[in-house]
Amino acid sequence: MTQPPPPPNQPPQQPGFGPPQDPSQQQPAQSSQQQQQPPSAPAGGPDLNKAPEPGYGYPQAPQPSAPPAAPQGPGYGYPQQQQQQPAAGYGYPGQAQPGPYGQPQQPGAYGQPQQPGAYGQPGYGQPGYGYPQPATMPMQPQPGGGGKKFNSQIAIIVSAVVAIALIVGGGVWYASSSGKDDDSKNTAGGDGKNKTNGGGGGENGSGSGSSGAQEKAPADTGSKVLFQVPAPKTPKDVTSISTAGSWLTDTVYAKSGIAEVVGYDRAKGTKKWTIDLPGPVCEGSGRTTEDNKTAIIFKPDMPTKGDPQSCTQVAVIDLETGKEVWTKTAQSGTMPISFNNVTVSGGTVAAGSTSGGAAWDVATGKQLWAPKTSDSCYDSGYAGGAKLVAVRKCGEYEARQLHIQNIDPKTGKVITEYKMDEGIEYAAVVSTDPLVVAADVGDSAGDGSGISDFFSVDNKTGKLRTRISAPGEDFAARCDAIYKIEKCSGLAVGNDRLYIATEEHDGSGESYGQTNEIVAFDLATGKQTGQRADAGDDYEIYPLRMDGNNVLAYKRPPYDKGGQIVSIDGGTFKQTTLMENPATENVRDVEARMSPDYAEILFSKGGLYMSSVYASDFSAGTDRKEYLVIAFGTS
């Protein structure tokens, strides 16, 4: 079905979850119980007591993939017809269903105007997937929080008029160190070991309680703006460009700009070093080695209107010294491979795509291995950290079988393998140890999140431990299983549990706001543990990562408050506030544009760093300032 054109000044839409892909990246589809039962949720929330689905927690018989979902109306940017009211259930009983994923769902949802380059694309199953799409720029929801969701027509109008970014030249803006809470003072004017970016680890912790936690509550949890980096200006005739990648060390906050990676003093924001590149960074690994090296993919030249360039260059960079350690390419036949994803595990850098992959030694850049390809099988990508896991696709489109392989980082040899049911087209790796995979089985998620089920797999045997049903209408986690493989948000794994955010629902009492929770699933049984962390009225809570046995989470605020970082005790689920950001309007306005679903959010040692993954010129000529980075810190 032909999609109507997008509204004026807005990017064309493309199917699939994930950031907009430039034409060079688009490729045709190839052949290839520990506590009591949980309490009832707040009014309008998911039924946390409902029984598992048939077969829940056990290997499922192969099922044919479901046909693509029917289009939800004439398309984004056009008035939507009122949909039939859904049956009683999660969300807003008796109200029209919200618009497709990616459109603002509430007044200035904190899906704020999504970063120049946030998503705003229809979900899986839309016509045309697998064919080259025009380059797009993600939509930005309006800043602010709280309040009931808009209906679809209002959401469309808001989306159509939102200005996405006023591009400001380079430089860093600083906030006064004064403790006064006013607008003038807080303006937003290679040893083989690996760690999770942002401090601590996202895939570790065992037992219960706060054992191993690094993050402690300061005497004063109120934060101030440490620094801000204005959004860079895009090259001539290029409407949007990737700025993916951000990292933290003990002394440096590093962030991709346009054709560069810059290291900032993490407290002051002053530039410590700059790595100049010939083209923009397409993707950065969220993994770093113990000596603070990481991997990036970038383009060999600046994109132009006639030549968008391909992401063929893989490099290792040193985040402490600001040096480019090495840069490599790989070929499939006679053609250079354009990579979609890159990761680091066990002293190995692995990069993958639908057209091929390769692995190199972190220290030397020596190519270690390349995946075996055939007419029916190829490695679509890799996830790193404690283990190296490949997602290998075999079979014809719509009759695909995914092989989830635990592989040796040095040789590429398959150690164990779990074969998913046929017909599952895409899978993302949430955690490599324990091994947890997310997939949209039969395109049944229905919300573009890429997740309908989680699969807990035994790394030692390759056997399925349990399967967890996570309907898109109930849970808010998202994964880009098409390209990025290990890019997921709204969840964390630790203590042999999956911690996941629920979808927004009506708050309690007389509040007109929305709220949600974080709940936990046991990865051995697939059952909920009974643990639940409530966001509180008008807040929304999102897991960020593990901190020892604790869960670190970001609380998106209502329109008149600042965001919070909380630590959730892995045993009691008691919340401890680690940071609360300024409530001044200018600061809230910038923070609200850093959606936890799309922006890169890193927290460690009292520092919170929020950054955009795209820069654009869509709002050039408006009077609103846009920022690449905003950083907060406590005393």
Side-chain angles (χ1 to χ4, degrees), residues 524-609:
T525 66
K527 297 180 179 180
Q528 289 195 34
T529 66
Q531 297 167 305
R532 187 177 76 203
D534 297 315
D537 283 347
D538 301 333
Y539 284 88
E540 296 158 38
I541 190 167
Y542 299 82
L544 294 179
R545 64 173 176 86
M546 299 302 297
D547 175 33
N549 297 322
N550 296 345
V551 182
L552 291 182
Y554 174 74
K555 294 175 73 170
R556 171 202 159 196
Y559 72 93
D560 58 348
K561 298 284 197 327
Q564 297 179 359
I565 295 292
V566 297
S567 177
I568 304 169
D569 187 279
T572 66
F573 248 47
K574 176 184 176 181
Q575 296 184 45
T576 300
T577 300
L578 303 181
M579 172 182 285
E580 182 163 11
N581 293 334
T584 54
E585 182 178 358
N586 287 346
V587 175
R588 294 198 319 266
D589 186 63
V590 177
E591 181 179 2
R593 285 171 179 78
M594 302 294 179
S595 164
D597 278 332
Y598 313 118
E600 295 169 341
I601 302 180
L602 304 178
F603 177 85
S604 80
K605 298 182 179 179
L608 172 63
Y609 304 82

Side-chain angles (χ1 to χ4, degrees), residues 10 72 97 100 135 169 187 218 221 226 236 309 342 384 393 397 423 470 481 486 546 565 581 583 635:
Q10 298 294 347
Q72 299 296 313
Q97 296 178 0
T187 47
T221 59
L226 298 176
K236 183 179 180 181
Q309 295 290 319
V342 66
K393 296 189 175 186
Y397 182 70
E486 61 178 345
M546 299 302 297
I565 295 292
N581 293 334
S635 300

Side-chain angles (χ1 to χ4, degrees), residues 251-253 262-266 269-274 319-321:
T251 61
V252 173
Y253 169 71
V262 179
Y264 302 92
D265 182 290
R266 57 176 289 166
T270 51
K271 288 186 179 181
K272 296 172 71 74
W273 49 258
T274 300
L319 298 171
E320 285 294 345
T321 65

Side-chain angles (χ1 to χ4, degrees), residues 152-177:
S152 57
Q153 290 183 338
I154 296 176
I156 292 164
I157 294 171
V158 171
S159 298
V161 301
V162 165
I164 297 178
L166 170 62
I167 309 304
V168 181
V172 178
W173 289 53
Y174 300 91
S176 167
S177 60

Side-chain angles (χ1 to χ4, degrees), residues 102-322:
Q103 298 177 2
Q105 299 298 304
Q106 67 184 63
Y110 183 62
Q112 75 264 13
Q114 267 123 354
Q115 286 315 61
Y119 304 104
Q121 302 161 341
Y124 298 139
Q126 300 293 329
Y129 173 71
Y131 294 87
Q133 305 291 326
T136 66
M137 224 279 310
M139 302 298 299
Q140 291 191 337
Q142 191 71 342
K148 290 186 178 294
K149 295 182 180 180
F150 280 171
N151 63 31
S152 57
Q153 290 183 338
I154 296 176
I156 292 164
I157 294 171
V158 171
S159 298
V161 301
V162 165
I164 297 178
L166 170 62
I167 309 304
V168 181
V172 178
W173 289 53
Y174 300 91
S176 167
S177 60
S178 168
K180 292 184 180 180
D181 189 17
D182 57 50
D183 285 352
S184 65
K185 301 302 182 184
N186 272 311
T187 47
D191 53 18
K193 296 181 180 179
N194 306 116
K195 57 186 179 181
T196 301
N197 189 24
E203 302 170 0
N204 56 19
S206 59
S208 62
S210 59
S211 174
Q214 301 292 314
E215 308 297 341
K216 308 297 182 183
D220 181 2
T221 59
S223 72
K224 65 179 180 232
V225 177
L226 298 176
F227 62 91
Q228 297 137 110
V229 181
K233 186 175 181 179
T234 58
K236 183 179 180 181
D237 296 327
V238 176
T239 56
S240 67
I241 200 163
S242 170
T243 57
S246 58
W247 304 267
L248 272 177
T249 74
D250 289 342
T251 61
V252 173
Y253 169 71
K255 174 63 186 170
S256 297
I258 293 182
E260 65 180 7
V261 180
V262 179
Y264 302 92
D265 182 290
R266 57 176 289 166
K268 300 176 182 178
T270 51
K271 288 186 179 181
K272 296 172 71 74
W273 49 258
T274 300
I275 298 174
D276 292 317
L277 301 168
V281 176
C282 307
E283 186 64 24
S285 174
R287 312 289 183 176
T288 59
T289 64
E290 285 292 319
D291 58 350
N292 293 313
K293 293 182 176 64
T294 192
I296 60 173
I297 307 168
F298 63 94
K299 296 184 177 184
D301 205 347
M302 291 300 296
T304 64
K305 190 174 182 179
D307 186 2
Q309 295 290 319
S310 296
C311 303
T312 58
Q313 313 294 300
V314 179
V316 163
I317 60 175
D318 189 320
L319 298 171
E320 285 294 345
T321 65

